[in-house]
Amino acid sequence: SSDLPEGRFTVLFPGIPKVSEEVVENPAVRFVLRKTQLRTFAEYGVMYADYPKSITDNTSADQLLDEGAKGAVAEVNSQLLSISPISVGGYPGRFLKERLPNGTIMQVKIILAGQRLYQVAITTPREEGVDPARVGFYNSIANKFLESFQLTYVTQDMAVVTCPADV
C-alpha cells in the first residue's frame, strides 16, 4: 500500500514503487508531472499534475478529461479499445482500455479533482492467443489495482488555514 500525502491519494502497489518527477513544457502550459511506478509482470503507475487555475476555471471538466484521454492514447501510440465516463470520490473521470503497439493491454483511470489530473494505469501482458483463464487473472489484477485508488484529501475551493504562532 502506498499512502502518499503530497499526492493526496492511496493505492495498493504489490511492492515498493519508484517516485519521480518530470517537467512538461509546451507553448500553452508548464507543469510538473509526478510519477509513482512499479514493474512486475505488469506495470503499475499513478501520475498526476496540477493545471493552472486559469485553465481549470475556463475549461469544462469534460473537455479537460477528453483532452487528457486523447493525449494519453497519442503519447503511447496505442489503439483505443474503449472509453467510458466514471466518477471517483465524487470527481469526474474517464476509464480507458488501450492496446499498446507491442500488444500489451493498458487500463487507465483519468480523474480530475479540482486542478489536479490523475492517471492511474496498469499494463498487463498481451491477450491474443492466451488462455482465457490467464486473461481473467490479468483483468482481476488490473481491477484490484485500479479500484484500490482513493483520493485522501482534495483542496478544490478549500483555503489552507494556519494558526498564529502564539496559539
Side-chain angles (χ1 to χ4, degrees):
S1 173
S2 287
D3 182 1
L4 301 163
E6 69 278 0
R8 303 191 297 262
F9 68 88
T10 60
V11 69
L12 294 173
F13 280 97
I16 298 172
K18 184 180 103 187
V19 179
S20 63
E21 286 187 358
E22 174 185 336
V23 175
V24 177
E25 293 190 68
N26 65 45
V29 68
R30 176 190 189 277
F31 56 89
V32 178
L33 183 64
R34 292 176 172 84
K35 302 177 183 182
T36 307
Q37 298 170 296
L38 176 71
R39 185 181 296 233
T40 61
F41 79 92
E43 189 170 330
Y44 303 80
V46 178
M47 299 186 297
Y48 66 89
D50 295 317
Y51 280 109
K53 195 161 173 38
S54 60
I55 290 179
T56 56
D57 284 352
N58 296 303
T59 313
S60 73
D62 281 340
Q63 186 178 348
L64 287 171
L65 288 163
D66 290 340
E67 286 176 6
K70 280 187 215 158
V73 169
E75 186 177 328
V76 293
N77 195 27
S78 66
Q79 175 190 2
L80 183 62
L81 301 176
S82 65
I83 183 171
S84 55
I86 59 169
S87 176
V88 175
Y91 290 95
R94 297 288 183 271
F95 175 74
L96 289 71
K97 189 169 184 178
E98 309 166 50
R99 181 178 295 112
L100 298 176
N102 65 3
T104 59
I105 301 295
M106 181 186 292
Q107 296 181 56
V108 186
K109 281 185 174 182
I110 300 174
I111 303 112
L112 182 64
Q115 291 173 242
R116 181 162 290 180
L117 187 75
Y118 292 93
Q119 288 187 32
V120 185
I122 182 168
T123 304
T124 52
R126 59 188 312 130
E127 296 178 353
E128 293 85 21
V130 174
D131 181 328
R134 184 170 292 275
V135 172
F137 170 72
Y138 295 159
N139 283 320
S140 70
I141 293 293
N143 288 336
K144 182 177 179 180
F145 177 69
L146 293 168
E147 292 301 315
S148 75
F149 178 83
Q150 294 184 347
L151 298 168
T152 55
Y153 178 73
V154 180
T155 58
Q156 181 176 14
D157 303 327
M158 292 177 71
V160 176
V161 179
T162 56
C163 290
D166 59 350
V167 171

